[in-house]
Amino acid sequence: MAFIFMSAHAVLQLTIMLLLVASSESDTCDGNRGFPGRPGIPGVPGTDGKDGAKGEKGDPGDDALPMIGPKGDPGIYGLPGRPGQKGDEGLQGSPGGNGTKGERGVFTGVDAPNQYFVFSYKKSIRSQRVLPDTLINFDIPLISGEENVLDSEGVFTVKIAGMYYISYHISSSSTACLKIQVGAEEKVRFCDSPGLIMVTAGSVVLPLKTDDKVSIAVTAVSSIFSRDTDCTFTGFLLFPD
């Protein structure tokens, strides 16, 4: 038997021709139809359809108890707020306790102008009968540079507050009753009445404030004798405030 060898291309062409002939005969002839062919390959999926109508409202759910979850971690601190308005002034507090004792000062050997003060005056030469509550006028300074310490009535006005030593020495031919006063307030009084010329003195240590006025005044009728003897009024600052 002789075999006929054909290429794959020729076989394909022959198959197509036979199919065409068979199809033509089926359209024109009344012969029996052949068996149905195999299903074709599925086509490409179509696009999504339109949304459907809204459904009916569902039944309410079962009642549930609210639950509190665990406490969360602290958050980050925020920025400081703006200062508020100034409040009303508070009540004055009670005095504080005493502070600790300070250290001892160092002596420098240099005198400060406000650390010392002294004056000394005497009375003009004359004999004088003085009535009560009359000031004794000491008008002659005994220390250079202190000409204006006492005023025209013999009154000393304090310029540096502190502790002062105040004294007077009076010569008298009879009674001498005097007092040392600050302003109109009597601090001390002294009185002598020997009947002969004598010297009487009085002194006192006083704390004085700035602008206090210190003077020597008579408390009873007195004979002040300043001829051939002196009457003095002296004061000096022991230590300042």
Side-chain angles (χ1 to χ4, degrees), residues 121-217:
Y121 276 67
K122 71 177 183 178
K123 191 176 179 299
S124 298
I125 299 174
R126 58 183 295 191
S127 296
Q128 185 180 9
R129 182 176 175 83
V130 186
L131 299 177
D133 295 323
T134 301
L135 301 182
I136 305 299
N137 187 6
F138 300 86
D139 53 348
I140 301 176
L142 299 177
I143 300 176
S144 177
E146 301 294 341
E147 289 78 5
N148 298 319
V149 173
L150 302 187
D151 62 16
S152 59
E153 294 182 343
V155 177
F156 163 57
T157 300
V158 177
K159 300 300 182 185
I160 302 174
M163 194 68 69
Y164 281 79
Y165 176 81
I166 304 295
S167 68
Y168 68 83
H169 291 77
I170 296 294
S171 298
S172 176
S173 58
S174 58
T175 301
C177 296
L178 301 103
K179 63 182 177 181
I180 298 176
Q181 61 185 15
V182 177
E185 180 184 1
E186 178 183 309
K187 294 297 183 180
V188 292
R189 68 162 58 195
F190 307 94
C191 192
D192 284 324
S193 182
L196 299 172
I197 296 176
M198 51 84 187
V199 175
T200 183
S203 62
V204 67
V205 174
L206 294 173
L208 299 176
K209 303 185 296 295
T210 303
D211 294 329
D212 279 347
K213 298 183 182 298
V214 183
S215 58
I216 309 299

Side-chain angles (χ1 to χ4, degrees), residues 11 31 44 47 73 79 100 113 118 145 171 197 201 204 220 224 226 241:
V11 172
V44 179
T47 59
D73 296 332
L79 298 175
T100 57
V118 62
S171 298
I197 296 176
V204 67
I224 306 302
S226 58
D241 283 345

